[in-house]
Amino acid sequence: MRRHTTFRQLEIFESIARLGSFTRAAEELFLTQPTVSMQMKKLAENVGIPLIEQIGKKIHLTPDGQQLAQATREIFNILSHYTMSVAERQGLKQGQLRLMAITTASYFAPRLLGEFARLHPGIDVSLRVTNKEQVLASIADNLDDLYFVGQPPEDIDVVATPIMDNPIIVLAAPDHPLANKKHISLERIAQEPWLMREKGSGTRNAIERRFAEHDLNIHPRLELGSNEAIKQAILAGLGISALSRHALTLNAPDQFAVLDVKGFPILRHWYAVYPAGRQLTVTARAFLDYLLGREDAAPSMPASQGKAKKGRNPCIARTG
Ligand code: PGA
């Protein structure tokens, strides 16, 4: 790599590698797209080998590009730690906090982040909300400071801290015939038309596991890719479903009937997770402490933690 490779070029390259798009990198860095393209052309000339390939509309990193992406991530992590150590001396006056949340966590994550950002206005915060696969890929690549998930990954070595209860409740339209019934059995509720989240959703897995524990199957009438779509379908009278209680955060209290079903709510937790090898930045540690100090934090500890070990601050170190 020749001498005139600039820090800016590496910064743009890192952003493209992380976001998978020139346009999004340009937006993130407040640059025009021609500037981004030109800088990447210069970077490839400086390095002397192609780093990024475009196939149709998609861009891919070449193997050399992937190596450079890894190197830039390490450089930025080191710099970020340096900035944090300065911030520590200045008492959290400045710094960066990068969070990623799985879709359903979007009901509470922005609020928590907003409260923390108000307490520490000098800290630059970012939150990406995305699906499970992308969260897992980012944890594996060590891209963000903390991740909000409903289930710690099994096959990545992480430290997972339960930060809040996440009850899964059964919901129906308010005029549903079961709306005022008590102690509805799982057998009875299994016969209802179910509206289910897409395969791979943590909520869906939890529901299917609960029925499977009782040798019951439910038959999805509709499969929908978001909690909001499920709520609309319930109100349209298409069936019932079970969602995180947090999915009702913005709904009027009587908009849905919460059915009294034996075996529900399913008691799950929200976890803040980070890769076991990662040293938390001062800001991320302060945010985690802030989460655990909140009134509605105090999660009831998970009943079963498998091979997990309890650590400090009810942390669970999981090894895959
Ligand atoms: P999800 O929620 O259903 O949006 O995947 C995460 C989880 O509850 O595990």
Side-chain angles (χ1 to χ4, degrees), residues 102-105 132 149-151 166 168 197-198 200-204 227 268 270:
I102 201 157
T103 25
T104 301
K132 190 170 163 185
V149 295
Q151 176 77 45
N166 176 24
I168 307 290
R197 284 280 307 277
E198 75 285 2
S201 140
T203 313
R204 176 174 178 153
N227 296 321
R268 302 179 74 222
W270 290 114

Side-chain angles (χ1 to χ4, degrees), residues 233-295:
I234 294 174
L235 293 178
L238 286 169
I240 64 164
S241 191
L243 293 179
S244 165
R245 183 173 281 147
H246 287 108
L248 298 185
T249 311
L250 296 177
N251 290 96
D254 50 1
Q255 206 174 353
F256 292 91
V258 178
L259 301 189
D260 179 11
V261 179
K262 286 188 207 156
F264 279 87
I266 302 172
L267 299 177
R268 302 179 74 222
H269 296 84
W270 290 114
Y271 296 85
V273 166
Y274 60 92
R278 186 183 179 105
Q279 195 195 339
L280 278 189
T281 62
V282 177
T283 317
R285 169 53 63 199
F287 182 59
L288 197 51
D289 288 345
Y290 161 78
L291 293 177
L292 293 170
R294 298 175 67 259
E295 249 173 49

